[in-house]
């Protein structure tokens, strides 16, 4: 019985092919698969009153940690760079590559202008992602570690000017993430940046590497502070953070021994629906 059914099916298929040939038509081919649209970086929904959302850390249920590095250079430091001060840190980037540690670099537009080859190299390396740290590295609030300030009317253009500097340097896909200079922000700043469509990224672990010369101090502060889902803030500036590269060489193997996996900020933000933390709206 099974043999007869199979034979009947084969005959039916042959008849269909002959009929198609008789009409000059070929049997219809299956349509080609539709290419999946390119993935887009995860962002957070606007906060209360439609303000720019602020991300602080990922879910505490995953032993993942994001190392972030601020590539700082203010708009007024060109003369110091021309005199030989180094605001870059290529050895740090080389160490991250050698250790195969993904990281998010929050870059100022002025830094990208000063070091376009390095900005392009970082931006094109799949190990890293580039995010916005303003163009000028001027503060978006008053009384922020002595930084000069950006007026409310120029906050959005300061962010957009940084993106323009990234594109000019050859950074193809900077992410829609923004870190306030000094980490200082208020409701006025969040409102001013709403049209820019960025997610503000803070941190829950301060590396303490700014102007610190002892790598053990930096490493211990990071290792003592990290929890699942943490975002660690460090710096990618040789003159202002001379111990960072040596600290990273101590931090990475220790966290890996503790079962931690290194991820980019975008992965933690993508997990926002399963427990990521956003800071409450400032007054």
């Amino acid at each position: 019985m099974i043999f007869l059914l199979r034979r009947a099916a084969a005959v039916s298929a042959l008849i269909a092919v002959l009929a198609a040939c008789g009409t000059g038509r070929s049997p219809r081919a299956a349509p080609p698969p539709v290419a999946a649209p390119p993935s887009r970086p995860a962002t957070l929904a606007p906060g209360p009153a439609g303000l720019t959302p602020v991300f602080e850390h990922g879910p505490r249920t995953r032993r993942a940690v994001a190392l972030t590095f601020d590539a700082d250079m203010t708009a007024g430091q060109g003369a110091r760079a021309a005199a030989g001060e180094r605001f870059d840190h290529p050895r740090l980037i080389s160490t991250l590559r050698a250790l195969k540690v993904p990281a998010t670099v929050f870059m100022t537009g002025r830094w990208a202008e000063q070091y376009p080859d390095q900005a392009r190299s970082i931006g094109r390396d799949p190990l890293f992602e580039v995010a916005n740290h303003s163009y000028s590295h001027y503060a978006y609030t008053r009384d922020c570690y002595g930084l000069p300030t950006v007026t409310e009317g120029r906050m959005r253009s300061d962010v957009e000017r940084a993106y323009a500097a990234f594109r000019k340097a050859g950074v193809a896909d900077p992410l829609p993430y923004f870190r306030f200079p000094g980490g200082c922000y208020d409701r006025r700043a969040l409102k001013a940046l709403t049209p820019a469509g960025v997610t503000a990224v803070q941190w829950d672990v301060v590396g303490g590497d700014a102007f610190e010369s002892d790598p053990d101090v930096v490493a211990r502060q990071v290792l003592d502070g990290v929890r699942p889902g943490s975002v660690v803030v460090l710096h990618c500036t040789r003159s202002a953070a001379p111990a960072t590269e040596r600290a990273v060489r101590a931090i990475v193997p220790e966290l890996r021994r503790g079962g931690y996996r290194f991820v980019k900020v975008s992965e933690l933000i993508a997990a926002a629906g399963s427990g990521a933390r956003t800071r409450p709206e400032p007054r």
Side-chain angles (χ1 to χ4, degrees):
M1 183 65 178
I2 294 174
F3 170 77
L4 293 175
L5 290 174
R6 288 177 176 171
R7 183 176 181 182
V11 170
S12 298
L14 179 60
I15 291 172
V17 171
L18 293 174
C21 291
T23 58
R25 295 176 303 191
S26 300
R28 181 175 296 175
V34 178
S39 59
R40 301 186 58 167
T43 55
L44 296 183
L51 297 180
T52 297
V54 183
F55 177 77
E56 187 178 65
H57 65 70
R60 295 304 193 190
T61 55
R62 307 180 183 188
R63 291 184 81 79
V65 58
L67 297 185
T68 70
F69 297 89
D70 291 356
D72 294 344
M73 184 174 178
T74 68
Q77 289 176 332
R80 288 166 57 179
E85 184 171 348
R86 302 298 305 200
F87 296 93
D88 61 340
H89 206 329
R91 185 172 179 180
L92 170 62
I93 297 301
S94 295
T95 294
L96 293 170
R97 285 172 170 149
L99 295 174
K100 296 181 172 56
V101 177
T104 304
V105 178
F106 286 87
M107 191 179 294
T108 67
R110 184 65 187 86
W111 193 97
E113 288 180 347
Q114 187 69 32
Y115 307 107
D117 292 343
Q118 292 185 56
R120 180 168 56 254
S121 176
I122 294 169
R124 294 182 178 180
D125 189 332
L127 194 63
F128 306 124
E129 59 188 12
V130 172
N132 196 314
H133 195 31
S134 81
Y135 173 81
S136 63
H137 201 257
Y138 288 178
Y140 284 51
T141 65
R142 301 178 184 88
D143 301 322
C144 181
Y145 302 104
L147 291 172
T149 58
V150 177
T151 63
E152 184 175 355
R154 298 185 62 182
M155 290 179 182
R156 179 183 175 185
S157 63
D158 190 59
V159 172
E160 292 173 344
R161 187 178 179 188
Y163 280 123
F166 300 158
R167 289 191 294 271
K168 185 175 181 180
V171 179
D173 297 302
L175 299 185
Y177 305 152
F178 176 74
R179 174 165 285 167
F180 287 99
C184 304
Y185 71 96
D186 55 18
R187 181 184 176 89
R188 181 178 62 104
L190 294 180
K191 183 177 180 181
L193 295 190
T194 297
V198 295
T199 292
V201 176
Q202 296 288 99
W203 55 82
D204 65 318
V205 178
V206 177
D209 61 336
F211 307 106
E212 176 58 64
S213 59
D214 188 342
D216 292 337
V217 171
V218 178
R220 182 47 49 197
Q221 186 155 321
V222 171
L223 294 172
D224 288 347
V226 164
R227 298 170 57 194
S230 280
V231 176
V232 181
V233 58
L234 293 161
H235 293 82
C236 184
T237 310
R238 237 186 302 178
S239 61
T244 306
E245 186 269 337
R246 288 173 290 160
V248 164
R249 284 193 270 122
I251 291 165
V252 169
E254 188 67 23
L255 286 178
R256 281 176 170 160
R257 279 192 290 270
Y260 279 93
R261 181 171 62 93
F262 292 96
V263 300
K264 303 170 190 174
V265 163
S266 57
E267 183 171 329
L268 292 184
I269 292 180
S274 57
R277 167 86 184 279
T278 57
R279 283 191 176 180
E281 175 189 345
R283 294 182 179 180

